């Protein structure tokens, strides 16, 4: 459709059109009254003058028309993406225009596929009008994603999970002071990994993630001291396993009371680190599941751990009848014991899956939560680990088990790591009896929003400007990553942008672009030159 720039309400428009009409009249009058040229020459001259007049009329009216242009899609690759991967993605998506940051002009495209992570916030901000799709890229043998706990208790299991693109089959491990804490063989290609270890340090702690012999990242977290707990052992007869465990708990600062029934009227008691507090955890065997001490502990919301099982199917029935739990066992071998680790054996049974229970990672120990917390261990004797000098393995086993039985910590703080400087991060606090309105983080305060379901739990959000250790309150800290993990930081930034952008694109359909077009100035000049030149040349040809 063609439209013209002619404003009927303006007198100047009518005056201009009058002058154009007068120009046509003058052209016709001058040509027709010329008696010196033949009729054929007059016809040619009339046509040329008519063309000149049409050009003048068009220039005055400035005709415009709409043009429908097809949508244009581009693939924009970051500087971290190699040429072969860039071209491979372009070919698979059938995108001919594969651009870099230097050659990209956002206004020319309706939709953009981003490949890689190396994009600046300034560039991303220029893509607000385009439909965005993101394809991440990570170089081989580099971490793609990684997570761990930013704040843990001593004795708690620290777990590091992530994804990596491995160039070959190789070993990934966590190391501390030259000692391997946990390791895992990963296959060639895309692989996920989970590494864990019981926290044995206090305060600011750094471990190293290593692929074969190449350091990948530094895992920084804060280990808070474990509040001493009160343990009570309720046993039928003394045994080496429970005595070794009680001794280990006492050496780790917990108070322990061991009660053994030697005969009907004879009871033996042993106390380590005496305390007047009620027991937080009862350690017993299935034969005592119906005792008043065990039942009262579960009714009061305390934890009970059953050890020294001999026949899980029969033992589970005793525990379930006494405490209302739902333990079930399935036999997996006819051997009396099956290996579950170096120097560690267990009964040949496994737990039947139950929605109310969790399994301690790496060990045949389950935990169910009823009114209280009920744990059951299918492990055989663990004290031989201590006797053989492998105290680290012994510590790992019981730290992992007891971490699941600990009562809720007062004023606990949870942070998902890594925390990045200049990014919005979340902090969660639980079991806050005083309900503070904010928590101090570095030199700033973070406002807390309390949960409508749990009035003792709150969330807050913060953003730090610099990397390094930041104090939280008076006794905790967290580490903000700066340049140490540039690929992960950029990946989080692009992913956050793509997710936010997707909300605006949910119902958005990229339609063909309709643009209004007119002749440019150079085209009008060319038309004038051609017409005037024709009128000047025509008399000379006669």
């Amino acid at each position: 459709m063609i439209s013209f720039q002619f404003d009927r309400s303006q007198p100047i428009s009518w005056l201009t059109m009058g002058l154009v009409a007068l120009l046509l009249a003058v052209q016709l009058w001058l040509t027709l009254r010329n008696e010196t040229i033949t009729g054929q020459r007059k016809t040619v001259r009339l046509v040329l003058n008519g063309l000149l007049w049409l050009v003048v009329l068009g220039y005055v009216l400035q005709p415009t028309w709409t043009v429908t242009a097809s949508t244009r899609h581009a693939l924009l690759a970051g500087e971290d993406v190699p040429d072969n991967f860039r071209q491979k993605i372009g070919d698979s998506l059938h995108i001919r225009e594969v651009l870099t940051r230097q050659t990209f002009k956002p206004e020319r495209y309706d939709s953009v596929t981003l490949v890689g992570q190396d994009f600046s916030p300034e560039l991303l901000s220029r893509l607000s009008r385009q439909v965005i799709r993101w394809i991440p890229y990570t170089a081989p043998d580099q971490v793609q994603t990684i997570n761990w706990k930013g704040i843990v208790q001593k004795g708690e299991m620290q777990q590091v999970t992530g994804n990596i693109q491995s160039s070959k089959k190789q070993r990934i491990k966590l190391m501390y002071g030259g000692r391997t804490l946990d390791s895992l063989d990963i296959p060639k290609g895309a692989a996920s990994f989970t590494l864990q270890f019981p926290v044995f340090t206090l305060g600011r702690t750094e471990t190293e993630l290593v692929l074969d012999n190449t350091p990948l990242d530094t895992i920084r977290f804060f280990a808070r001291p474990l509040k001493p707990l009160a343990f009570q052992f309720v046993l039928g007869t003394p045994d080496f396993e429970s005595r070794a465990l009680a001794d280990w708990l006492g050496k780790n600062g917990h108070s322990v009371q061991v009660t053994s029934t030697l005969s009907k009227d004879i009871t033996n008691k042993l106390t380590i680190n005496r305390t007047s507090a009620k027991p937080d955890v009862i350690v017993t065997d299935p034969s005592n599941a119906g005792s008043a001490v065990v039942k009262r502990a579960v009714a009061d919301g305390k934890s009970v751990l059953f050890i020294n099982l001999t026949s899980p199917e029969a033992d589970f029935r005793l525990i379930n009848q006494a405490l209302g739990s739902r333990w079930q066992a399935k036999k997996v071998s006819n051997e009396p014991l099956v290996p579950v680790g170096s120097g560690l054996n267990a009964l040949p049974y496994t737990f039947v899956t139950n929605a109310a229970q969790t399994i301690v990672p790496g060990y045949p120990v389950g935990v169910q939560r009823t009114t209280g917390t009920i744990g059951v261990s299918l492990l055989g004797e663990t004290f031989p680990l201590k006797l053989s000098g492998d105290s680290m393995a012994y510590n790992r086993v019981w730290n992992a088990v007891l971490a699941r039985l600990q009562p809720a910590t007062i004023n606990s703080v949870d942070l998902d790591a890594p925390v990045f400087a200049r990014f919005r991060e979340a902090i969660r606090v639980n079991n806050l009896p005083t309900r503070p309105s904010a928590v101090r983080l570095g030199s700033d305060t973070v406002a807390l929003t309390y949960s409508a379901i749990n009035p003792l739990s709150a969330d807050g959000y913060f953003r730090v400007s610099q990397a390094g250790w930041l104090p939280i309150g008076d006794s905790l800290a967290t580490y903000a990553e700066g340049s140490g993990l540039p690929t992960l930081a950029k990946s989080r930034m692009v992913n956050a942008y793509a997710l936010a952008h997707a909300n605006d694109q949910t119902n958005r359909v990229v339609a063909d672009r309709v643009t209004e077009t007119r002749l440019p100035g150079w085209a009008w000049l060319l038309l004038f030159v051609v017409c005037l030149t024709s009128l000047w040349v025509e008399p000379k040809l006669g």
Side-chain angles (χ1 to χ4, degrees):
M1 181 179 178
I2 299 177
S3 58
F4 301 96
Q5 286 190 349
F6 181 76
D7 190 352
R8 298 181 180 182
S9 63
Q10 296 294 328
I12 187 66
S13 299
W14 292 104
L15 178 61
T16 303
M17 289 302 297
L19 293 175
V20 172
L22 179 61
L23 173 63
L24 176 62
V26 170
Q27 287 178 292
L28 294 175
W29 178 71
L30 291 175
T31 302
L32 293 174
R33 69 182 294 272
N34 192 339
E35 301 293 339
T36 61
I37 59 176
T38 64
Q40 187 177 5
R41 291 277 304 281
K42 283 185 179 180
T43 301
V44 173
R45 192 168 293 182
L46 284 172
V47 170
L48 293 176
N49 277 278
L51 290 175
L52 176 61
W53 182 82
L54 289 175
V55 171
V56 173
L57 179 64
Y59 183 76
V60 171
L61 294 178
Q62 287 292 315
T64 59
W65 60 94
T66 57
V67 174
T68 302
S70 299
T71 58
R72 295 185 64 184
H73 186 84
L75 187 149
L76 177 59
E79 298 297 328
D80 56 329
V81 181
D83 293 338
N84 57 346
F85 186 82
R86 183 183 310 169
Q87 195 59 49
K88 177 182 177 182
I89 295 297
D91 293 341
S92 64
L93 297 178
H94 306 290
I95 301 175
R96 292 181 300 172
E97 299 184 84
V98 182
L99 308 173
T100 60
R101 183 174 55 193
Q102 290 78 9
T103 60
F104 179 64
K105 297 185 182 300
E107 62 275 4
R108 296 183 180 179
Y109 303 96
D110 305 284
S111 57
V112 178
T113 294
L114 301 174
V115 180
Q117 287 78 233
D118 192 11
F119 300 105
S120 65
E122 293 76 17
L123 176 62
L124 295 176
S125 65
R126 296 166 59 196
L127 300 176
S128 58
R129 297 185 179 181
Q130 284 75 22
V131 174
I132 301 299
R133 174 169 51 177
W134 179 46
I135 300 176
Y137 169 80
T138 304
D141 298 333
Q142 295 294 319
V143 173
Q144 294 177 322
T145 61
I146 191 168
N147 295 97
W148 66 89
K149 301 174 186 176
I151 299 176
V152 293
Q153 284 191 120
K154 183 180 179 181
E156 184 181 352
M157 293 297 292
Q158 173 65 279
Q159 183 169 281
V160 180
T161 61
N163 294 282
I164 191 171
Q165 186 74 26
S166 179
S167 61
K168 59 183 179 180
K169 182 180 179 180
Q170 50 194 326
R171 179 166 285 263
I172 190 169
K173 51 192 174 183
L174 279 172
M175 301 193 69
Y176 179 84
R179 182 176 62 182
T180 299
L181 302 176
D182 195 13
S183 62
L184 177 71
D185 287 326
I186 56 174
K188 179 181 179 180
S192 60
F193 60 88
T194 298
L195 302 171
Q196 57 185 1
F197 62 95
V199 176
F200 52 87
T201 59
L202 283 175
R204 301 175 182 183
T205 304
E206 295 185 3
T207 61
E208 199 166 43
L209 183 66
V210 179
L211 185 64
D212 274 353
N213 296 316
T214 304
L216 292 181
D217 289 316
T218 301
I219 309 300
R220 299 179 177 91
F221 60 90
F222 188 90
R224 63 188 299 177
L226 174 64
K227 177 186 175 182
L229 302 178
F231 288 83
Q232 181 177 356
F233 285 71
V234 179
L235 305 170
T237 56
D239 61 89
F240 285 110
E241 178 70 6
S242 56
R243 180 56 192 260
L245 178 57
D247 182 65
W248 178 80
L249 290 170
K251 289 181 178 179
N252 281 273
H254 303 288
S255 64
V256 181
Q257 179 180 321
V258 181
T259 304
S260 303
T261 303
L262 303 179
S263 64
K264 183 177 181 181
D265 299 319
I266 302 175
T267 301
N268 182 49
K269 289 186 178 182
L270 172 67
T271 301
I272 306 174
N273 302 331
R274 185 181 299 275
T275 181
S276 59
K278 292 183 178 180
D280 299 298
V281 182
I282 302 292
V283 181
T284 187
D285 52 51
S287 63
N288 290 295
S291 70
V293 174
V294 172
K295 286 187 173 182
R296 184 167 59 250
V298 173
D300 291 342
K302 304 297 184 179
S303 298
V304 176
L305 173 64
F306 290 94
I307 61 174
N308 296 337
L309 276 71
T310 56
S311 177
E313 292 173 326
D315 292 337
F316 282 2
R317 283 195 294 271
L318 285 175
I319 298 171
N320 293 340
Q321 291 171 2
L323 303 178
S325 54
R326 293 183 292 169
W327 296 105
Q328 286 183 284
K330 179 181 178 183
K331 194 168 186 178
V332 295
S333 174
N334 291 322
E335 298 294 328
L337 293 172
V338 293
V340 291
S342 179
L344 195 62
N345 297 312
L347 298 174
Y349 289 84
T350 186
F351 293 100
V352 176
T353 303
N354 187 322
Q357 76 187 17
T358 57
I359 304 300
V360 177
Y363 303 105
V365 180
V367 176
Q368 286 188 15
R369 298 192 182 277
T370 56
T371 308
T373 301
I374 304 171
V376 173
S377 171
L378 298 179
L379 288 169
E381 294 177 332
T382 60
F383 71 89
L385 291 173
K386 291 186 67 176
L387 296 180
S388 66
D390 195 356
S391 59
M392 183 176 177
Y394 188 85
N395 295 345
R396 183 184 297 114
V397 172
W398 288 109
N399 277 325
V401 173
L402 298 178
R404 303 285 175 150
L405 301 173
Q406 295 175 11
T409 305
I410 300 295
N411 295 329
S412 69
V413 178
D414 294 324
L415 274 171
D416 291 331
V419 170
F420 292 106
R422 297 179 294 278
F423 282 83
R424 188 171 184 259
E425 304 285 358
I427 183 172
R428 294 176 300 279
V429 290
N430 295 289
N431 209 7
L432 300 175
T434 59
R435 289 178 58 88
S437 61
V439 61
R440 185 168 58 84
L441 194 151
S443 58
D444 299 326
T445 56
V446 180
L448 298 177
T449 302
Y450 283 84
S451 168
I453 300 175
N454 182 2
L456 300 181
S457 176
D459 295 327
Y461 296 92
F462 64 94
R463 192 190 307 268
V464 298
S465 58
Q466 293 182 340
W469 285 100
L470 297 169
I472 300 177
D474 298 324
S475 58
L476 303 177
T478 188
Y479 187 85
E481 305 281 355
S483 59
L485 298 172
T487 301
L488 294 176
K490 290 179 181 178
S491 179
R492 178 184 286 194
M493 177 185 69
V494 179
N495 184 50
Y497 172 82
L499 290 175
H501 204 65
N503 294 331
D504 184 51
Q505 299 173 7
T506 303
N507 298 315
R508 181 179 173 185
V509 177
V510 179
D512 292 340
R513 290 180 290 117
V514 178
T515 59
E516 192 176 74
T517 305
R518 66 180 65 189
L519 282 178
W522 63 265
W524 289 114
L525 178 61
L526 180 62
L527 289 173
F528 276 117
V529 170
V530 169
C531 291
L532 293 174
T533 302
S534 300
L535 288 172
W536 178 75
V537 171
E538 184 270 332
K540 294 179 170 37
L541 295 178

